[in-house]
Amino acid sequence: MKVEAHAKINLALDITGKRPDGYHLVRMVMQSLALHDTIEIEKAANDGRQIVLHSDSELITDDENNLAWKAAKLLIDEFAITDTIVIRIKKCIPIAAGLAGGSSDAAAVLKGVNKLFSLGLSEKELMERGVRLGADVPYCICGGTMLSEGIGEILTRTEGKMPSCGVLLVKPKEGVSTKKVYQLFDSLENEIHADVDGVLEGLRKEDLAYISDRMSNVLEKVTIPMLPVIDAIKKDMIKAGAIGSLMSGSGPTVFGFFKEKDSLEKTYSLMKENYADAEVIVSCIE
């Protein structure tokens, strides 16, 4: 069985508070992309191993530290599955990029195991289990264009949809620590907020320019000083013709929207030339 695990970007990311357990309360608008990992799942006779995980990337582990492994284990334990589950991951989503690659892989495994073993779990029931693995997993189960609240588990389908457009992704070679980003954000004295409602209004209008003008991510306030190349990429994208550009999640990936194919291709070449060490990927709205 093959399942696609789609990347996500944040059209808006706001932090509204922090729970006593340390989880941040968020208000975000999430959008899935055509860019995806491919997950193959099959069952085999039990050979003493419950889960066999293979990935074509040396940057992720093939053991219990992988979210996809944890997703399979969650359902194995709950439903007393005795077969060995074999999972193969073909990575296309950049790793540690702010694009929910690990969460999306976990979501795909939950969906795949549910179907392969006829567990009968609804999408809602899968999402309830997914949040135990990570705050982005419930969104990755349903995908599309969603308002995400709480710690990421309260999801509402938006009115209207994201207009079709080309999407250019640039992930700098340098990474950032998500934990450090949130810690630095907590230390800020000036309270800042993203224009989530403005983005939602743009989606209701299905107006790409309106959405792009109001996109914002409060984590840029701390991530850009840590990694100034993020701001440089954003500015270069806009200068080259992007309708809007923003950092996704806690970074470091920057995305830009393009209506014209020629402009997208020109900017792709420019990014490849100017940021030789970066991963540069062309995608579109899913």
Side-chain angles (χ1 to χ4, degrees):
M1 174 179 293
K2 289 186 178 181
V3 186
E4 293 182 352
H6 288 267
K8 67 84 188 169
I9 54 174
N10 299 90
L11 304 179
L13 192 161
D14 195 16
I15 297 175
T16 59
K18 189 176 180 181
R19 300 196 319 193
D21 61 7
Y23 278 96
H24 286 82
L25 298 172
V26 297
R27 193 162 182 256
M28 308 183 291
V29 182
M30 316 268 269
Q31 175 62 53
S32 51
L33 301 179
L35 173 67
H36 64 274
D37 294 343
T38 300
I39 314 296
E40 292 186 7
I41 306 171
E42 62 179 315
K43 54 184 172 182
N46 195 317
D47 62 357
R49 296 174 296 175
Q50 289 185 308
I51 303 164
V52 179
L53 180 64
H54 301 288
S55 168
D56 64 355
S57 172
E58 296 179 354
L59 299 176
I60 61 174
T61 62
D62 291 346
D63 56 23
E64 64 273 8
N65 295 308
N66 189 303
L67 270 185
W69 193 99
K70 293 179 180 179
K73 179 65 172 171
L74 188 154
L75 294 182
I76 283 173
D77 289 348
E78 180 176 353
F79 292 93
I81 294 171
T82 56
D83 295 286
T84 293
I85 296 177
V86 181
I87 303 167
R88 296 180 179 87
I89 303 176
K90 181 180 178 182
K91 290 296 295 180
C92 290
I93 303 172
I95 295 161
L99 300 173
S103 294
S104 192
D105 290 351
V109 168
L110 289 176
K111 291 191 288 186
V113 171
N114 180 50
K115 188 172 183 180
L116 188 63
F117 289 91
S118 302
L119 303 181
L121 296 171
S122 66
E123 183 175 81
K124 181 181 178 182
E125 289 170 327
L126 286 173
M127 290 165 67
E128 289 169 351
R129 287 157 177 79
V131 75
R132 302 179 204 167
L133 302 169
D136 282 341
V137 177
Y139 166 76
C140 292
I141 288 169
C142 57
T145 315
M146 305 280 281
L147 173 65
S148 172
E149 298 175 288
I151 62 169
E153 86 286 12
I154 303 171
L155 296 164
T156 308
R157 190 73 63 186
T158 62
E159 294 180 36
K161 61 182 181 180
M162 182 66 185
S164 296
C165 63
V167 182
L168 185 62
L169 301 162
V170 181
K171 178 190 177 285
K173 182 179 180 181
E174 305 90 337
V176 292
S177 163
T178 297
K179 182 178 180 180
K180 185 175 181 180
V181 168
Y182 277 91
Q183 286 175 341
L184 287 173
F185 183 85
D186 289 340
S187 70
L188 293 179
E189 293 183 4
N190 296 326
E191 189 171 348
I192 55 173
H193 288 287
D195 188 8
V196 178
D197 291 332
V199 171
L200 292 173
E201 177 62 21
L203 290 167
R204 281 191 285 270
K205 296 173 180 284
E206 297 189 10
D207 185 329
L208 183 59
Y210 194 101
I211 294 165
S212 297
D213 286 345
R214 290 157 180 80
M215 292 193 308
S216 52
N217 179 344
V218 296
L219 295 179
E220 286 187 342
K221 186 79 172 177
V222 293
T223 306
I224 287 176
M226 292 168 59
L227 206 59
V229 69
I230 291 171
D231 195 46
I233 293 170
K234 286 180 63 180
K235 289 176 179 175
D236 282 352
M237 275 208 196
I238 295 295
K239 187 176 179 180
I243 298 167
S245 182
L246 192 69
M247 182 184 79
S248 185
S250 59
T253 301
V254 175
F255 65 86
F257 293 143
F258 296 82
K259 277 188 176 179
E260 304 298 331
K261 184 179 179 181
D262 288 348
S263 180
L264 174 58
E265 291 176 348
K266 172 188 170 186
T267 309
Y268 172 82
S269 298
L270 180 68
M271 294 295 113
K272 291 284 285 184
E273 180 180 348
N274 290 354
Y275 304 96
D277 291 336
E279 291 183 70
V280 185
I281 301 169
V282 173
S283 188
C284 60
I285 298 300
E286 168 64 12

